[in-house]
Amino acid sequence: MLLKPSDFDLDNLSELECALWIATPVLKVLPYSQLPGLEMLDYLPHHYQALFVYGGYWRADYIYPEKSQPHILYGRSSNQEILQVPKQYEISVDDYVFLRPQQSEAIIPQFAHLYVYEHRKFEVWETCRE
């Protein structure tokens, strides 16, 4: 099965599309990133809202909402990652953020199940976790 992670974005595979995505729920939404000890920054204009998502630090790129990125000052986290998301996106707790894996073999074993969407229905596939 070809899942086409981003490491395989090659010219000779350009006709194929990615078939594996990570969907992670939004746990908390803040109007902007609030940095403990740097409250003076709260008064600056903010172009991004801050989201906390379940999990994180995957070998994957944030795809949706567009222009989402891990917060550069907070750093990465595998427990709850904080993202900066452009303010124009209306996003709430329990919405989802989507990522495109860079490698399928590095991502799949991290999950107990894959949810396969085919013919307008979901199937659940178990993964081989070691």
Side-chain angles (χ1 to χ4, degrees), residues 33 51 56-58 60-62 67-77 81-85 99:
S33 298
L51 306 180
Y57 216 143
W58 292 290
D61 302 307
Y62 286 93
K67 298 183 181 175
S68 297
Q69 59 192 12
H71 195 283
I72 193 164
L73 295 178
Y74 267 89
R76 307 295 308 266
S77 171
E81 191 152 56
I82 185 170
L83 300 180
Q84 292 182 287
V85 175
L99 300 92

Side-chain angles (χ1 to χ4, degrees), residues 50-127:
L51 306 180
F52 286 87
V53 296
Y54 179 81
Y57 216 143
W58 292 290
R59 292 197 60 161
D61 302 307
Y62 286 93
I63 299 298
Y64 181 83
E66 290 180 39
K67 298 183 181 175
S68 297
Q69 59 192 12
H71 195 283
I72 193 164
L73 295 178
Y74 267 89
R76 307 295 308 266
S77 171
S78 56
N79 181 30
Q80 286 184 27
E81 191 152 56
I82 185 170
L83 300 180
Q84 292 182 287
V85 175
K87 283 201 172 276
Q88 72 258 24
Y89 287 99
E90 291 185 29
I91 194 158
S92 303
V93 171
D94 294 332
D95 286 346
Y96 284 86
V97 170
F98 290 87
L99 300 92
R100 182 177 177 204
Q102 296 164 353
Q103 297 179 342
S104 54
E105 66 276 7
I107 295 294
I108 291 174
Q110 295 180 32
F111 299 93
H113 300 94
L114 295 179
Y115 294 87
V116 180
Y117 184 72
E118 186 175 41
H119 305 296
R120 298 182 183 232
K121 294 181 183 176
F122 281 100
E123 292 181 33
V124 179
W125 292 357
E126 290 191 32
T127 62

Side-chain angles (χ1 to χ4, degrees), residues 27-41:
L27 302 174
K28 185 176 183 179
V29 179
L30 300 174
Y32 53 88
S33 298
Q34 300 165 353
L35 300 169
L38 294 175
E39 289 80 11
M40 64 190 153
L41 299 177

Side-chain angles (χ1 to χ4, degrees), residues 4-14 16 18 100:
K4 198 178 179 199
S6 63
D7 281 358
F8 290 92
D9 281 346
L10 307 170
D11 289 341
N12 60 338
L13 298 175
S14 63
L16 303 174
C18 178
R100 182 177 177 204

